[in-house]
Amino acid sequence: SSEVLEAIENVIQDVLKSLAQKKAPVLTVVNRSDWRNVEFKDSVGLQMIPCCTTKRIRSDCPRSAPKFALILKILSMIYKMVQSNTYATKRDIYYSDTQLFGSQSVVDNIINDISCMLKIPRRSLHILSTTKGFVAGNLSYTEDDGTKVNCTCGATVFTVPSNVQGIKNLISHAKFMLIVEKDATFQRLLDDDFCNKLSPCIMITGRGVPDLNTRLLVRKLWDTFQIPVFTLMDADPHGVEIMCIYKYGSLSMSFEAHHLTVPSVKWLGLLPSDLKRLNIRKDALIPFTKQDQNKLASIQKRPYIACQPMWKKELEIMAASKLKAEIQVLTSLSSDYLSRVYLPNKLQFGGWL
C-alpha cells in the first residue's frame, strides 16, 4: 500500500511543480487502444511494449480538461481507500457522483488508465470489479474471508470470487477445464451432469466477454493444476474474439497480460468446419452482418493468427461461407447432442485446435 500511495503522491507532485512554474499541468497516459503499443509473444499473448505511444491529457485544453479533473478525482478516492484499507467496486465509484462521471464506461476507462499509468494492478488500487462469471464442477477452495466453497456438489453454480488473488486451499481432481462462452450452454451442460459424466472437470463461463475476475480465475486454476483448457464458443467472429481474450489477452488490458492470459487454451468448438462435417442444415445457420464481416477481417489481421495455421483455416471457412452458428444449433441433431455425442467425441479423439 505504501507503494501505491507513493505512486499517487508522485503524480500530484508533478502537478504541483507545474503549477509552481506557472505551467498548465499535463498527465501522460499510454494509448491503450493502439496496436503499435503491443507485441505478441507465444508465452504471454499480447503484452505492452516498454516504449509506448502516449496521450497527453492537458488541464488547459477544453477537450481534455474534464478528463484531467476526473483522473485527479479518482486518484484522490483511491488514495483515501488505500489509507483507510477500504475497498470499492467500479460501480460504487460511479454512483458516488453519477452527474460528475456521466457514465460507468468513463469510470472503467479512467481506472484502467490509472492502473496502467501507475503500473499497479487494479486490485492493489483497492478497486474491485463486480463479477459476472460462474464456476462449477470438481473444485473446492477457501475465499479470502474464510468462506469454504465446494463446487463439486451436483449442479451447483458459484459466482467467480471477487478477490481471486485471495483464494487458497484449491483442491481439484479435474482432468480438464472447459470455458463456455454463454450462460445458457453452461446451464444446459450442468443439467446434463457433464462435469461428472465423462471425467471430472471444471466448467467456467464469463457469460459473454469475460470480466477481469473470470480471466484471473482461469489463469489461477491453470497455474495451480496445469490441466488442459478448452473453449466452447459460438462459430462466429464474436465467439472467436472472446476465445482470443482468454488465450492472448485484450489490447486494452495488455499491460496486465502476465496475470490474465492462458496461452495453452485450445479451441474445442464449435468449429466452422464442424458445421459441414455434421451436415448442419443451411437454414439453421445465420447469415453474416456487415459488422460480422468487419470483426472477422480485423481478427484475421491480428499478429497471433499468423502462428495458428489451423485457426487461420477455420476463419477462412467462416469468411467464405459468410454464415455463423450458435452452439445451440447442435440441438437440431438431437436435444442432448452436445453433451452426449459432440463433446465426448471431441475430447476422446483430440478434435481441438
Side-chain angles (χ1 to χ4, degrees):
S1 59
S2 59
E3 192 189 319
V4 180
L5 296 176
E6 196 183 325
I8 295 172
E9 285 161 9
N10 289 340
V11 172
I12 303 305
Q13 220 166 2
D14 287 344
V15 169
L16 293 174
K17 263 186 209 158
S18 298
L19 291 171
Q21 293 163 2
K22 299 205 166 25
K23 287 182 190 162
V26 173
L27 293 170
T28 305
V29 297
V30 168
N31 192 349
R32 290 181 299 109
S33 58
D34 190 340
W35 278 95
R36 289 171 304 175
N37 285 340
V38 294
E39 61 180 355
F40 169 63
K41 266 198 170 165
D42 250 359
S43 57
V44 184
L46 295 175
Q47 65 172 15
M48 195 164 269
I49 58 171
C51 307
C52 291
T53 62
T54 53
K55 290 185 289 193
R56 289 162 65 76
I57 296 165
R58 304 186 60 86
S59 56
D60 61 346
C61 161
R63 251 195 25 223
S64 62
K67 185 168 183 178
F68 181 94
L70 291 181
I71 291 175
L72 290 193
K73 165 79 176 165
I74 292 178
L75 278 172
S76 79
M77 292 171 87
I78 293 168
Y79 195 85
K80 279 179 196 148
M81 289 192 296
V82 174
Q83 270 188 323
S84 58
N85 197 24
T86 54
Y87 287 82
T89 63
K90 294 186 298 181
R91 226 170 154 60
D92 296 334
I93 290 175
Y94 168 59
Y95 280 110
S96 69
D97 198 333
T98 51
Q99 273 194 303
L100 177 71
F101 293 119
S103 77
Q104 181 70 59
S105 63
V106 167
V107 172
D108 297 357
N109 208 4
I110 287 175
I111 288 167
N112 284 340
D113 277 340
I114 288 173
S115 176
C116 185
M117 176 172 74
L118 301 179
K119 295 186 171 53
I120 289 169
R122 196 194 297 170
R123 168 96 205 152
S124 305
L125 301 175
H126 284 230
I127 295 170
L128 308 170
S129 1
T130 322
T131 297
K132 64 184 178 97
F134 290 147
V135 59
N138 195 293
L139 175 68
S140 64
Y141 55 86
T142 308
E143 291 201 10
D144 60 326
D145 62 358
T147 310
K148 287 185 165 56
V149 176
N150 185 4
C151 308
T152 316
C153 328
T156 325
V157 171
F158 289 88
T159 307
V160 167
S162 60
N163 177 9
V164 174
Q165 282 97 326
I167 65 173
K168 48 189 183 291
N169 307 330
L170 288 96
I171 300 166
S172 175
H173 304 292
K175 296 284 179 275
F176 62 92
M177 206 187 321
L178 183 67
I179 300 171
V180 182
E181 178 185 349
K182 283 187 182 151
D183 193 16
T185 311
F186 181 83
Q187 298 292 347
R188 179 67 216 242
L189 289 171
L190 273 182
D191 294 344
D192 291 349
D193 195 26
F194 177 75
C195 290
N196 302 309
K197 262 187 188 159
L198 194 63
S199 58
C201 75
I202 300 168
M203 274 203 325
I204 289 181
T205 179
R207 298 162 77 197
V209 176
D211 58 280
L212 197 67
N213 292 328
T214 304
R215 291 173 62 189
L216 282 167
L217 182 64
V218 170
R219 174 62 194 242
K220 185 162 187 123
L221 293 174
W222 180 67
D223 280 340
T224 308
F225 302 117
Q226 292 291 314
I227 51 177
V229 184
F230 299 110
T231 56
L232 182 62
M233 306 280 151
D234 288 342
D236 67 9
H238 190 62
V240 174
E241 170 100 285
I242 290 170
M243 173 173 59
C244 291
I245 290 173
Y246 284 107
K247 186 176 173 76
Y248 297 120
S250 59
L251 179 61
S252 65
M253 292 298 288
S254 59
F255 63 97
E256 276 208 52
H258 286 272
H259 314 290
L260 294 172
T261 59
V262 180
S264 68
V265 160
K266 300 280 185 283
W267 188 2
L268 188 69
L270 187 62
L271 302 177
S273 59
D274 289 338
L275 304 175
K276 195 173 178 189
R277 185 174 61 81
L278 298 171
N279 285 323
I280 303 286
R281 295 192 326 269
K282 268 268 165 64
D283 60 356
L285 304 176
I286 308 158
F288 260 26
T289 61
K290 188 81 190 106
Q291 205 180 356
D292 290 326
Q293 278 177 305
N294 295 340
K295 167 79 80 189
L296 182 57
S298 94
I299 292 171
Q300 286 176 304
K301 287 193 198 102
R302 289 189 194 165
Y304 43 70
I305 297 299
C307 65
Q308 287 281 5
M310 302 298 279
W311 284 30
K312 203 170 167 214
K313 215 174 265 182
E314 292 293 332
L315 298 184
E316 282 162 7
I317 292 171
M318 199 191 287
S321 73
K322 290 194 174 59
L323 293 168
K324 57 183 182 176
E326 297 186 329
I327 297 161
Q328 284 84 335
V329 80
L330 297 176
T331 55
S332 66
L333 301 170
S334 78
S335 64
D336 58 352
Y337 190 85
L338 176 66
S339 59
R340 187 176 53 84
V341 182
Y342 183 82
L343 288 174
N345 280 349
K346 284 250 169 183
L347 290 160
Q348 205 176 338
F349 302 113
W352 57 80
L353 305 178

